[in-house]
Every structure is written in structure tokens, then in C-alpha cells.
Amino acid sequence: MIDLAPLAWVALGLAAVTIGISKTALPGGSILAIALFATVLPARTSTAAMLLLLIVGDVFALITYRRHAHWPTLLRLAPAVIAGLVAGFAFLALAGDGIVRRAIGVILLAMIAVTLWRRWRQNRADAVAPAPGGLVLSGVYGTLGGFTTMVANAGGPVMSMYFLATRTPVQVFLGTSAWFFAIINLVKIPFLAGLGLFEGHVLLMDAVLAPLVVIGALAGIRLAKRMNQVLFDRIVIVLTIAGALYLLF
């Protein structure tokens, strides 16, 4: 087991609960867990430890929202995401922790700016239909989503910005996200294992924290049923901005 102070364990416990909630109610909320893990643990160790806990949360997300996924969106994103995963693996293997963190922060802030700009343009045009999410949009967000999820498990905010940009309804948002990250997180395992990041003390720590992910996921299911679209969008954007600023500074 990793030797940590009691306060550090409290932070990791809070992060584990947040992971569960983010999987079933607030996809962008995982950025808080990323920040907490990165504060307590070395960056590479935090990436590996979080991945296994995210997979626990994926199980509950699929159980709850599996029927709401929009598969054409997933297929449209797939080629770009694969390219982003490969680029992220290379970056993770070569770059230092500080460079990785700041690069992700810049990317997230850029995605928020683009999303808000697109919404402003649609509102000016009195658009009422959802944005189509064309190949260029899916290519940019898909590549960045694959890259950020590989290097820091931070793909959630990027993909949240994509779903918000295309005005995806809450249930479809959660269902499509559930399948997207369940598949991607499983794909990431051999990459991180190849870097030797799944050490015994990491696995033991995750075994202690996993029940808290379950508690958070169950709480998130109840929370999602009471949340309207406008509030949902605003919370995701605020959490993403907060996470991006944390990574930068």
C-alpha cells in the first residue's frame, strides 16, 4: 500500500465518490477527481490508479444509460479518437508531467471557448434544431478527447464540450458518454500496462477506494433524475473551466 497521510486518503476518497457521480450524473465532474489524484499522487501513478476506478464507474453508467446511446455519433468519433489515443500514448511516454498538465488545460479552455462561440452563433441565427456534429467537429473533438483521456484520464470534459456543442439531450448525452468511455478505458489498459504503471500498491489502493466509487455512482443516478438540461449544461461548463484552470496553474 502507498504510504499516505490521513488527509491524502480523505482527498482520494472524495475523488473516488466524485468519479462515481461523474459517471452517472455529471460527466465533466471527473475533472475534480483528476485534480485530487494529481495533487496526492505522482502524475503517472494517478493516471493508472484513476483508470481502474473509472472502469468501476463505467459499469454503473452502462447499467443505467446503455439504452440511450446514439451509435452513429460513436462511430463518427471513432477514427479521430483512435488517432488521439496513439498520439497521447506517445506524448505520455516522452513528455514531463508539467508539460502534460498545461497542455491539457489549454486544450480544455480552447474547447470551452469554441463551444460557447458556436452556441452564440446558433442563438443569433435563431437555431432550434440540434447542431449536426459534422466530420470536422467530430474529428477535432474526437482527436483531442482521445489524446486527453490517454495522458490524464481527462477526456470527459473534452467530450462533454462536444456533446454540449451538438446540443445533445441529457439522457442521450449520458448514454453515449457511458459507452464511449467504457470502450475507451478498456482500450487504454494495455497501453498503460506497457508503461509499467499497474504496480501492486496501485491495485491495492484501488481495491480500497472502489466501494466509494459505487456509492458515488448510486448517488449520481438519483441526482440525474432531478436535473434539467439548462442546469446540467451550466454545471458541466463550470466544472470544466475550474479543472482547466487547475491544470494550468
Side-chain angles (χ1 to χ4, degrees):
M1 180 71 72
I2 297 177
D3 186 17
L4 296 173
L7 186 59
W9 277 108
V10 171
L12 292 178
L14 175 60
V17 173
T18 303
I19 288 172
I21 294 175
S22 74
K23 286 295 180 180
T24 55
L26 293 171
S30 62
I31 199 70
L32 173 59
I34 293 169
L36 290 171
F37 265 80
T39 300
V40 173
L41 302 172
R44 287 169 169 250
T45 301
S46 70
T47 298
M50 268 202 67
L51 176 59
L52 300 180
L53 295 178
L54 288 168
I55 291 173
V56 174
D58 288 332
V59 173
F60 288 88
L62 288 177
I63 291 173
T64 308
Y65 302 113
R66 64 188 184 280
R67 297 179 181 177
H68 299 286
H70 188 250
W71 286 97
T73 296
L74 290 172
L75 294 175
R76 186 166 55 243
L77 288 166
V81 171
I82 293 172
L85 286 172
V86 173
F89 175 72
F91 191 61
L92 183 64
L94 298 175
D97 289 343
I99 295 175
V100 171
R101 286 163 55 90
R102 287 178 175 82
I104 293 172
V106 170
I107 289 169
L108 291 178
L109 290 176
M111 291 302 96
I112 293 168
V114 170
T115 297
L116 295 178
W117 177 73
R118 283 174 55 85
R119 287 195 163 200
W120 177 78
R121 286 194 62 188
Q122 290 172 359
N123 290 336
R124 284 287 299 269
D126 294 324
V128 294
L135 291 178
V136 174
L137 187 68
S138 60
V140 172
Y141 279 91
T143 302
L144 292 176
F147 178 85
T148 53
T149 195
M150 176 58 74
V151 299
N153 295 311
V158 175
M159 298 316 300
S160 293
M161 290 299 98
Y162 173 76
F163 292 127
L164 291 181
T166 55
R167 296 185 181 271
T168 305
V170 172
Q171 294 295 314
V172 178
F173 184 134
L174 293 171
T176 307
S177 294
W179 279 106
F180 178 88
F181 286 107
I183 295 170
I184 292 302
N185 286 336
L186 291 176
V187 170
K188 286 158 56 180
I189 289 178
F191 285 94
L192 297 186
L195 296 176
L197 297 181
F198 294 122
E199 299 178 288
H201 59 268
V202 172
L203 299 178
L204 185 57
M205 180 179 64
D206 279 350
V208 173
L209 295 174
L212 296 177
V213 177
V214 175
I215 292 173
L218 296 175
I221 292 172
R222 298 191 64 178
L223 176 64
K225 294 178 180 178
R226 303 178 181 181
M227 193 174 303
N228 62 48
Q229 182 78 46
V230 174
L231 178 61
F232 180 84
D233 290 0
R234 289 176 179 174
I235 290 175
V236 170
I237 290 172
V238 169
L239 289 173
T240 304
I241 293 173
L245 293 175
Y246 172 83
L247 292 171
L248 281 174
F249 302 106

